[in-house]
Amino acid sequence: MPLGCGTDVWRLSEEVRAGTLTEQAFLDSESSMIRSRGHCNTMGTASTMGLLAEALGMTLPGTAGIPAADSRLLARAHATGLLAVDMVRTDRRPSTVMTAASMHNAIVTLAATGGSTNAVVHLLAIAGRLGLPLTLDDFDRIGAEVPLLVDLQPAGRFLMEDLYRAGGLAAVLREVSDLLDPSAITVAGTPFVAALEGAAVWDESVIYPRSAPVRPNAGIAVLRGNLAPAGAIIKPAAATPALLQHRGPALVFDSIEDFHARIDDPDLDVSADTVLVLRGCGPKGYPGMPEVSNMPLPEKLLRAGVRDMVRICDGRMSGTAYGTVVLHVAPEAAAGGPLDRIRTGDMVVLDVPGRSLTVDVPPAEFDARPPSQALLDGLARPHRGWERLYVDTVLGADTGADCSFLLGSSGPRVSRESH
């Protein structure tokens, strides 16, 4: 299997910590994961958003996923420049292209390609700027039953160049064309679904037929419960199937610093059934909402052969990452969400088919608990500047983690000319 950027960094770095790979071999492998300029060669966030930009209608059809060294990319760039002039002349603006219909198609694309969980906050934020009524539940409603058709890392085996060679995004979406909204258009002013006519799959080991998908019903799942009243998400396609229904004791970390200080302690009370909980990493608590949710596993468990555990966090994870990771827990701990009250030893119940995430503690007892002081001590508390503006106005991951004053469409009017 070819090495993929990001995904194999996570995988092989764990092997180094497990003692099954030398550090030099890891460094040698890392240096060979990118063979040309361009975005991620796995289905990371950059690759995902490149595909979703086309699914939203915001690129010329057939542009997404062209390898960086391919001369067809230059041709598309030239044609895009010509199109930009035409768009100005015809007053075809992003707000006329990106509609509820195109958001629907983007969610179908996200599921069918096994795209990054980061796309959830990106699409919610874009919809918020446009004033479109997109919610977290729409990802489950529209995408949960969509089959995964693309066998690409981190959910599969191949790389982005293989996807393009096998037929590209159009070939994937033609397989699920009945799930798309035909009213959506592209920046060229043409129906989005028109570009799928004639698309063909040239390699069914990369793009599977709908009748025999990589995984059925593989879209992003939205979880709710007393640990995530406003929602949390998980990517089943990148998780361990046996862990999608799990009950285990929590091991709680109050900050990423606390996590790094303790995770490899040989005396840490942890087993394969333990649920790792990292809090204080949401938009307010750790401004920018870092990609720390895919926590490295305890070294002593890695050495015992464990390669996945249930992990829960109010932060994000890289689109190249994998594992049974519940992320974007909302409200985040810094905003008074229930993660601020969970304690080590509490029994956590994850039920992805049932769409629930709960802690098995009597409600009265749980609600009466004060928030963890160690958590509060680790939260960002800026006194001034842009960080203060961000912390004071940023919204939760469940609505796109955008600032409140940026919601809504401003329209095309320029109030005053520059001097």
Side-chain angles (χ1 to χ4, degrees):
M1 188 170 73
L3 292 175
C5 67
T7 298
D8 280 308
V9 169
W10 308 124
R11 182 174 65 85
L12 296 178
S13 64
E14 295 285 67
E15 296 304 323
V16 173
R17 297 175 62 242
T20 61
L21 185 71
T22 67
E23 185 173 343
Q24 186 57 52
F26 169 73
L27 294 174
D28 290 343
S29 69
E30 193 273 338
S31 67
S32 67
M33 290 177 187
I34 298 291
R35 291 175 288 280
S36 75
R37 293 169 292 179
H39 52 63
C40 303
N41 60 17
T42 58
M43 192 60 75
T45 304
S47 301
T48 299
M49 294 311 297
L51 296 178
L52 295 193
E54 183 162 318
L56 287 169
M58 288 300 293
T59 70
L60 279 171
T63 301
I66 299 178
D70 194 310
S71 61
R72 285 170 288 188
L73 193 58
L74 293 176
R76 290 285 175 172
H78 180 76
T80 298
L82 296 174
L83 175 63
V85 175
D86 179 66
M87 290 180 69
V88 172
R89 184 171 61 249
T90 59
D91 194 31
R92 193 180 311 124
R93 291 170 278 115
S95 59
T96 65
V97 175
M98 289 187 287
T99 61
S102 56
M103 288 291 171
H104 176 107
N105 293 344
I107 293 173
V108 172
T109 301
L110 176 64
T113 60
S116 167
T117 51
N118 284 320
V120 176
V121 287
H122 290 323
L123 290 175
L124 287 169
I126 292 169
R129 298 279 183 105
L130 292 166
L132 296 175
L134 187 70
T135 70
L136 190 61
D137 288 331
D138 290 327
F139 288 84
D140 214 334
R141 177 180 60 83
I142 297 168
E145 303 303 316
V146 176
L148 173 64
L149 301 180
V150 180
D151 192 0
L152 222 69
Q153 297 184 37
R157 301 172 294 167
F158 293 98
L159 302 178
M160 282 296 294
E161 61 198 66
D162 299 305
L163 172 60
Y164 191 71
R165 169 183 56 80
L169 179 61
V172 177
L173 294 184
R174 190 179 183 192
E175 290 288 309
V176 291
S177 58
D178 60 302
L179 303 179
L180 300 173
D181 190 321
S183 67
I185 65 169
T186 74
V187 284
T190 56
F192 175 75
V193 294
L196 308 182
E197 297 174 6
V201 175
W202 301 111
D203 187 344
E204 289 192 352
S205 68
V206 180
I207 301 174
Y208 284 39
R210 185 172 177 180
S211 58
V214 179
R215 288 197 189 188
N217 310 330
I220 302 294
V222 178
L223 312 175
R224 296 186 188 274
N226 63 1
L227 275 183
I233 65 172
I234 189 171
K235 182 178 177 179
T240 300
L243 291 177
L244 293 177
Q245 288 180 299
H246 181 79
R247 178 185 175 92
L251 175 57
V252 181
F253 300 92
D254 286 303
S255 66
I256 190 62
E257 292 81 9
D258 179 31
F259 175 84
H260 287 310
R262 293 196 288 134
I263 192 61
D264 288 333
D265 183 344
D267 295 325
L268 188 68
D269 186 9
V270 63
S271 73
D273 289 331
T274 299
V275 176
L276 304 182
V277 179
L278 174 59
R279 57 191 175 192
C281 296
K284 287 183 181 292
Y286 194 153
M289 196 183 176
E291 294 181 331
V292 296
S293 294
N294 57 314
M295 297 161 248
L297 303 190
E299 184 177 305
K300 70 178 185 181
L301 294 185
L302 287 169
R303 292 184 179 274
V306 176
R307 290 298 180 270
D308 194 14
M309 297 171 66
V310 174
R311 286 157 279 179
I312 299 173
C313 184
D314 48 12
R316 299 182 297 127
M317 75 177 183
S318 169
T320 65
Y322 56 89
T324 311
V325 184
V326 177
L327 52 158
H328 305 191
V329 174
E332 63 173 294
L339 278 189
D340 71 355
R341 300 186 295 282
I342 190 171
R343 295 176 181 172
T344 292
D346 289 346
M347 295 303 295
V348 175
V349 182
L350 171 66
D351 181 5
V352 175
R355 296 299 191 263
S356 69
L357 177 67
T358 58
V359 59
D360 190 3
V361 176
E365 176 189 338
F366 190 67
D367 292 342
R369 288 179 180 175
S372 162
Q373 189 59 49
L375 161 73
L376 298 177
D377 292 342
L379 298 178
R381 299 194 184 281
H383 298 294
R384 61 187 301 277
W386 288 108
E387 188 178 4
R388 170 68 182 273
L389 176 65
Y390 179 85
V391 169
D392 285 351
T393 63
V394 71
L395 301 172
D398 57 308
T399 58
D402 204 359
C403 294
S404 58
F405 60 87
L406 294 173
L407 295 181
S409 177
S410 301
R413 188 177 70 89
V414 178
S415 59
R416 300 180 72 176
E417 294 295 337
S418 177
H419 292 282

